[in-house]
Amino acid sequence: MRTVRDVKGLRSVVAGWKRAGQSVGVVPTMGALHEGHLSLVAAAKAGTDRVIATVFVNPMQFNNAEDLARYPRTEDRDAAMLMEAGVDLLFAPAPEVVYPDGFATTVGVSGLSTDLEGTFRPGHFDGVATVVTKLLMMTGADRAYFGEKDWQQLQIVRRLVRDLDIPATITGCATRREADGLAMSSRNLRLSAQERAVAPALHRAMAAAAAAIKDGAPVPAALASARDAVVAAGFAEVEYLELREAEGLAPLDRLDRPARLLAAAWLGPVRLIDNIAVAP
């Protein structure tokens, strides 16, 4: 596995692959890798001839400087994991490579980014959309692989690729979970042992709400019960727990189309997000 830190070197390698008629997949990450990331790599290896993984802690998508400073950075461990997984190239640029002096452009996707995560993390999705656009253009990838855990992000990426005519196919991959149901996340590393024991309650409450809604329970009542259960389990705050249209993310008060139950909640100093499908 090669490690490249500049755009010119990256494009040189990719150009060689494409001259040979090989397809290219990219797995964008912010590092601190876990089995969920490796499942994206496996999907990319199955779907393309060559696989690039990117490790870049994107400052533009953090609306809290302390959160950016605390984000785990484990590049040596990440590189070893990616090499073992069969990645062909690791692109690990410095911030000044992605955002050179004088950088003044932002990509935004209106509508999809305005509430849920957008409400509580203002500017976050502009940072995501901008860096994803840059990474797709830098790598020239034919396919890009994203986890479904960040469901709102996945819909935003799909929309920006469509709207900007970027020639890449966006593939969503199922959320990987621990044995107790907790969605895998780099942020889980920051949970204490006690908090880690409480964390699966979020998914349990969401699964119970989804089952109740599918059985005909009123949506508002099912969601209120789930929020209460999360707080009772030990979470400090539920920022949102809502039923939304799966693709357009419009609020739903009844299950009459493919839907997604999405949640964000604080456990100690860590903000956890999760989502599950709810089929009518």
Side-chain angles (χ1 to χ4, degrees):
M1 182 184 74
R2 294 183 58 176
T3 298
V4 176
R5 301 185 186 276
D6 65 290
V7 179
K8 182 178 179 180
L10 169 66
R11 286 177 169 166
S12 176
V13 174
V14 172
W17 292 341
K18 293 204 168 186
R19 282 194 299 271
Q22 296 176 320
S23 59
V24 178
V26 65
V27 179
T29 84
M30 292 208 302
L33 302 183
H34 49 69
E35 289 297 322
H37 295 108
L38 297 185
S39 72
L40 302 181
V41 170
K45 285 181 65 64
T48 57
D49 300 313
R50 296 285 190 172
V51 176
I52 301 168
T54 71
V55 171
F56 177 65
V57 181
N58 177 31
M60 195 173 177
Q61 70 188 67
F62 286 82
N63 58 309
N64 183 311
E66 291 183 6
D67 196 22
L68 172 61
R70 289 195 303 262
Y71 195 87
R73 292 162 171 83
T74 56
E75 186 183 311
D76 290 345
R77 173 181 170 274
D78 296 340
M81 293 173 67
L82 294 170
M83 182 179 296
E84 178 68 22
V87 166
D88 296 287
L89 187 147
L90 167 60
F91 181 50
E96 57 268 24
V97 171
V98 179
Y99 304 118
D101 187 43
F103 186 85
T105 300
T106 301
V107 179
V109 179
S110 61
L112 287 173
S113 63
T114 54
D115 60 359
L116 298 172
E117 289 296 289
T119 297
F120 295 96
R121 302 181 69 186
H124 168 71
F125 283 127
D126 287 352
V128 170
T130 301
V131 79
V132 169
T133 300
K134 292 211 69 173
L135 291 173
L136 291 176
M137 302 302 289
M138 288 172 170
T139 61
D142 302 293
R143 289 183 174 272
Y145 295 80
F146 292 84
E148 291 185 349
K149 185 180 80 70
D150 296 297
W151 183 260
Q152 187 177 8
Q153 172 181 281
L154 177 59
Q155 306 316 307
I156 287 169
V157 170
R158 284 175 168 158
R159 182 68 60 83
L160 80 85
V161 165
R162 187 194 74 182
D163 289 355
L164 298 180
D165 298 311
I166 297 175
T169 299
I170 304 302
T171 300
C173 299
T175 302
R176 291 294 297 269
R177 298 185 180 277
E178 305 289 356
D180 56 11
L182 177 65
M184 291 182 180
S185 170
S186 302
R187 295 177 186 272
N188 295 348
L189 296 173
R190 292 169 48 200
L191 295 169
S192 69
Q194 182 179 3
E195 290 161 351
R196 175 62 185 82
V198 171
L202 178 61
H203 182 251
R204 287 199 302 269
M206 294 174 68
I213 291 168
K214 290 178 72 172
D215 286 344
V219 170
L223 299 183
S225 178
R227 293 188 198 100
D228 290 344
V230 172
V231 172
F235 279 74
E237 179 187 2
V238 178
E239 287 188 338
Y240 62 82
L241 200 162
E242 298 187 20
L243 186 71
R244 295 296 184 102
E245 185 182 43
E247 184 175 339
L249 301 180
L252 296 177
D253 57 10
R254 58 193 178 96
L255 187 61
D256 58 359
R257 70 197 80 171
R260 212 82 187 183
L261 192 62
L262 301 104
W266 284 93
L267 181 57
V270 182
R271 183 176 184 274
L272 298 179
I273 66 171
D274 203 349
N275 72 87
I276 55 176
V278 189

PDB file of all heavy atoms in Angstrom, residues 146-161:
ATOM      1  N   PHE A 146     -19.875   4.948   1.563  1.00  0.00           N
ATOM      2  CA  PHE A 146     -20.205   5.626   2.811  1.00  0.00           C
ATOM      3  C   PHE A 146     -21.082   4.719   3.668  1.00  0.00           C
ATOM      4  O   PHE A 146     -21.937   3.988   3.147  1.00  0.00           O
ATOM      5  CB  PHE A 146     -20.963   6.934   2.538  1.00  0.00           C
ATOM      6  CG  PHE A 146     -20.143   8.001   1.872  1.00  0.00           C
ATOM      7  CD1 PHE A 146     -19.986   8.008   0.495  1.00  0.00           C
ATOM      8  CD2 PHE A 146     -19.530   8.986   2.621  1.00  0.00           C
ATOM      9  CE1 PHE A 146     -19.229   8.995  -0.137  1.00  0.00           C
ATOM     10  CE2 PHE A 146     -18.769   9.975   2.011  1.00  0.00           C
ATOM     11  CZ  PHE A 146     -18.615   9.978   0.630  1.00  0.00           C
ATOM     12  N   GLY A 147     -20.914   4.798   4.975  1.00  0.00           N
ATOM     13  CA  GLY A 147     -21.738   4.017   5.880  1.00  0.00           C
ATOM     14  C   GLY A 147     -23.116   4.637   6.053  1.00  0.00           C
ATOM     15  O   GLY A 147     -23.273   5.859   6.015  1.00  0.00           O
ATOM     16  N   GLU A 148     -24.113   3.794   6.279  1.00  0.00           N
ATOM     17  CA  GLU A 148     -25.473   4.278   6.494  1.00  0.00           C
ATOM     18  C   GLU A 148     -25.682   4.845   7.894  1.00  0.00           C
ATOM     19  O   GLU A 148     -26.722   5.451   8.147  1.00  0.00           O
ATOM     20  CB  GLU A 148     -26.477   3.149   6.241  1.00  0.00           C
ATOM     21  CG  GLU A 148     -26.564   2.735   4.770  1.00  0.00           C
ATOM     22  CD  GLU A 148     -27.635   1.698   4.516  1.00  0.00           C
ATOM     23  OE1 GLU A 148     -28.181   1.142   5.510  1.00  0.00           O
ATOM     24  OE2 GLU A 148     -27.927   1.428   3.336  1.00  0.00           O
ATOM     25  N   LYS A 149     -24.722   4.678   8.795  1.00  0.00           N
ATOM     26  CA  LYS A 149     -24.902   5.236  10.139  1.00  0.00           C
ATOM     27  C   LYS A 149     -25.129   6.738  10.076  1.00  0.00           C
ATOM     28  O   LYS A 149     -25.943   7.285  10.819  1.00  0.00           O
ATOM     29  CB  LYS A 149     -23.693   4.927  11.022  1.00  0.00           C
ATOM     30  CG  LYS A 149     -23.891   5.396  12.471  1.00  0.00           C
ATOM     31  CD  LYS A 149     -22.699   5.080  13.329  1.00  0.00           C
ATOM     32  CE  LYS A 149     -21.596   6.085  13.121  1.00  0.00           C
ATOM     33  NZ  LYS A 149     -21.946   7.419  13.680  1.00  0.00           N
ATOM     34  N   ASP A 150     -24.408   7.414   9.206  1.00  0.00           N
ATOM     35  CA  ASP A 150     -24.624   8.846   8.984  1.00  0.00           C
ATOM     36  C   ASP A 150     -25.620   9.004   7.831  1.00  0.00           C
ATOM     37  O   ASP A 150     -25.254   9.411   6.731  1.00  0.00           O
ATOM     38  CB  ASP A 150     -23.298   9.533   8.662  1.00  0.00           C
ATOM     39  CG  ASP A 150     -22.332   9.478   9.824  1.00  0.00           C
ATOM     40  OD1 ASP A 150     -22.655  10.047  10.880  1.00  0.00           O
ATOM     41  OD2 ASP A 150     -21.273   8.849   9.693  1.00  0.00           O
ATOM     42  N   TRP A 151     -26.882   8.663   8.105  1.00  0.00           N
ATOM     43  CA  TRP A 151     -27.884   8.572   7.039  1.00  0.00           C
ATOM     44  C   TRP A 151     -28.138   9.921   6.373  1.00  0.00           C
ATOM     45  O   TRP A 151     -28.231  10.012   5.153  1.00  0.00           O
ATOM     46  CB  TRP A 151     -29.199   8.013   7.597  1.00  0.00           C
ATOM     47  CG  TRP A 151     -30.241   7.826   6.550  1.00  0.00           C
ATOM     48  CD1 TRP A 151     -31.287   8.653   6.261  1.00  0.00           C
ATOM     49  CD2 TRP A 151     -30.320   6.748   5.606  1.00  0.00           C
ATOM     50  NE1 TRP A 151     -32.022   8.154   5.202  1.00  0.00           N
ATOM     51  CE2 TRP A 151     -31.452   6.983   4.790  1.00  0.00           C
ATOM     52  CE3 TRP A 151     -29.560   5.598   5.392  1.00  0.00           C
ATOM     53  CZ2 TRP A 151     -31.825   6.107   3.767  1.00  0.00           C
ATOM     54  CZ3 TRP A 151     -29.934   4.729   4.379  1.00  0.00           C
ATOM     55  CH2 TRP A 151     -31.052   4.993   3.574  1.00  0.00           C
ATOM     56  N   GLN A 152     -28.256  10.964   7.156  1.00  0.00           N
ATOM     57  CA  GLN A 152     -28.489  12.292   6.583  1.00  0.00           C
ATOM     58  C   GLN A 152     -27.309  12.692   5.701  1.00  0.00           C
ATOM     59  O   GLN A 152     -27.488  13.223   4.601  1.00  0.00           O
ATOM     60  CB  GLN A 152     -28.699  13.316   7.703  1.00  0.00           C
ATOM     61  CG  GLN A 152     -29.114  14.699   7.210  1.00  0.00           C
ATOM     62  CD  GLN A 152     -29.386  15.654   8.353  1.00  0.00           C
ATOM     63  OE1 GLN A 152     -29.126  15.353   9.525  1.00  0.00           O
ATOM     64  NE2 GLN A 152     -29.923  16.826   8.039  1.00  0.00           N
ATOM     65  N   GLN A 153     -26.101  12.438   6.172  1.00  0.00           N
ATOM     66  CA  GLN A 153     -24.914  12.724   5.374  1.00  0.00           C
ATOM     67  C   GLN A 153     -24.935  11.971   4.047  1.00  0.00           C
ATOM     68  O   GLN A 153     -24.616  12.525   2.994  1.00  0.00           O
ATOM     69  CB  GLN A 153     -23.664  12.335   6.154  1.00  0.00           C
ATOM     70  CG  GLN A 153     -22.371  12.400   5.359  1.00  0.00           C
ATOM     71  CD  GLN A 153     -21.182  11.983   6.183  1.00  0.00           C
ATOM     72  OE1 GLN A 153     -20.680  12.749   6.985  1.00  0.00           O
ATOM     73  NE2 GLN A 153     -20.716  10.739   6.005  1.00  0.00           N
ATOM     74  N   LEU A 154     -25.333  10.705   4.089  1.00  0.00           N
ATOM     75  CA  LEU A 154     -25.382   9.899   2.866  1.00  0.00           C
ATOM     76  C   LEU A 154     -26.347  10.505   1.847  1.00  0.00           C
ATOM     77  O   LEU A 154     -26.035  10.572   0.644  1.00  0.00           O
ATOM     78  CB  LEU A 154     -25.794   8.468   3.216  1.00  0.00           C
ATOM     79  CG  LEU A 154     -25.976   7.489   2.055  1.00  0.00           C
ATOM     80  CD1 LEU A 154     -24.692   7.332   1.244  1.00  0.00           C
ATOM     81  CD2 LEU A 154     -26.451   6.126   2.585  1.00  0.00           C
ATOM     82  N   GLN A 155     -27.505  10.966   2.309  1.00  0.00           N
ATOM     83  CA  GLN A 155     -28.467  11.579   1.386  1.00  0.00           C
ATOM     84  C   GLN A 155     -27.924  12.885   0.809  1.00  0.00           C
ATOM     85  O   GLN A 155     -28.149  13.205  -0.368  1.00  0.00           O
ATOM     86  CB  GLN A 155     -29.801  11.823   2.087  1.00  0.00           C
ATOM     87  CG  GLN A 155     -30.416  10.600   2.749  1.00  0.00           C
ATOM     88  CD  GLN A 155     -30.341   9.347   1.891  1.00  0.00           C
ATOM     89  OE1 GLN A 155     -30.768   9.344   0.743  1.00  0.00           O
ATOM     90  NE2 GLN A 155     -29.775   8.283   2.435  1.00  0.00           N
ATOM     91  N   ILE A 156     -27.212  13.634   1.613  1.00  0.00           N
ATOM     92  CA  ILE A 156     -26.622  14.893   1.145  1.00  0.00           C
ATOM     93  C   ILE A 156     -25.552  14.616   0.100  1.00  0.00           C
ATOM     94  O   ILE A 156     -25.486  15.299  -0.938  1.00  0.00           O
ATOM     95  CB  ILE A 156     -26.060  15.680   2.345  1.00  0.00           C
ATOM     96  CG1 ILE A 156     -27.222  16.258   3.157  1.00  0.00           C
ATOM     97  CG2 ILE A 156     -25.104  16.784   1.892  1.00  0.00           C
ATOM     98  CD1 ILE A 156     -26.817  16.820   4.503  1.00  0.00           C
ATOM     99  N   VAL A 157     -24.712  13.626   0.344  1.00  0.00           N
ATOM    100  CA  VAL A 157     -23.666  13.289  -0.627  1.00  0.00           C
ATOM    101  C   VAL A 157     -24.289  12.825  -1.944  1.00  0.00           C
ATOM    102  O   VAL A 157     -23.843  13.219  -3.031  1.00  0.00           O
ATOM    103  CB  VAL A 157     -22.717  12.221  -0.051  1.00  0.00           C
ATOM    104  CG1 VAL A 157     -21.787  11.682  -1.135  1.00  0.00           C
ATOM    105  CG2 VAL A 157     -21.899  12.803   1.099  1.00  0.00           C
ATOM    106  N   ARG A 158     -25.308  12.012  -1.862  1.00  0.00           N
ATOM    107  CA  ARG A 158     -25.974  11.565  -3.092  1.00  0.00           C
ATOM    108  C   ARG A 158     -26.553  12.747  -3.871  1.00  0.00           C
ATOM    109  O   ARG A 158     -26.465  12.810  -5.095  1.00  0.00           O
ATOM    110  CB  ARG A 158     -27.082  10.573  -2.740  1.00  0.00           C
ATOM    111  CG  ARG A 158     -26.560   9.185  -2.379  1.00  0.00           C
ATOM    112  CD  ARG A 158     -27.669   8.258  -1.914  1.00  0.00           C
ATOM    113  NE  ARG A 158     -27.192   6.878  -1.858  1.00  0.00           N
ATOM    114  CZ  ARG A 158     -27.744   5.928  -1.115  1.00  0.00           C
ATOM    115  NH1 ARG A 158     -28.808   6.218  -0.365  1.00  0.00           N
ATOM    116  NH2 ARG A 158     -27.267   4.709  -1.124  1.00  0.00           N
ATOM    117  N   ARG A 159     -27.140  13.703  -3.154  1.00  0.00           N
ATOM    118  CA  ARG A 159     -27.726  14.855  -3.818  1.00  0.00           C
ATOM    119  C   ARG A 159     -26.658  15.745  -4.457  1.00  0.00           C
ATOM    120  O   ARG A 159     -26.827  16.220  -5.587  1.00  0.00           O
ATOM    121  CB  ARG A 159     -28.554  15.667  -2.816  1.00  0.00           C
ATOM    122  CG  ARG A 159     -29.257  16.883  -3.425  1.00  0.00           C
ATOM    123  CD  ARG A 159     -30.357  16.477  -4.396  1.00  0.00           C
ATOM    124  NE  ARG A 159     -31.364  15.692  -3.754  1.00  0.00           N
ATOM    125  CZ  ARG A 159     -32.404  16.185  -3.045  1.00  0.00           C
ATOM    126  NH1 ARG A 159     -32.527  17.492  -2.902  1.00  0.00           N
ATOM    127  NH2 ARG A 159     -33.295  15.382  -2.510  1.00  0.00           N
ATOM    128  N   LEU A 160     -25.555  15.979  -3.769  1.00  0.00           N
ATOM    129  CA  LEU A 160     -24.537  16.865  -4.347  1.00  0.00           C
ATOM    130  C   LEU A 160     -23.896  16.241  -5.579  1.00  0.00           C
ATOM    131  O   LEU A 160     -23.598  16.945  -6.556  1.00  0.00           O
ATOM    132  CB  LEU A 160     -23.494  17.255  -3.298  1.00  0.00           C
ATOM    133  CG  LEU A 160     -22.358  16.310  -2.929  1.00  0.00           C
ATOM    134  CD1 LEU A 160     -21.174  16.435  -3.880  1.00  0.00           C
ATOM    135  CD2 LEU A 160     -21.876  16.581  -1.499  1.00  0.00           C
ATOM    136  N   VAL A 161     -23.709  14.938  -5.561  1.00  0.00           N
ATOM    137  CA  VAL A 161     -23.142  14.259  -6.728  1.00  0.00           C
ATOM    138  C   VAL A 161     -24.093  14.359  -7.911  1.00  0.00           C
ATOM    139  O   VAL A 161     -23.677  14.608  -9.051  1.00  0.00           O
ATOM    140  CB  VAL A 161     -22.824  12.789  -6.387  1.00  0.00           C
ATOM    141  CG1 VAL A 161     -22.594  11.967  -7.644  1.00  0.00           C
ATOM    142  CG2 VAL A 161     -21.599  12.719  -5.479  1.00  0.00           C
TER     143      VAL A 161
END
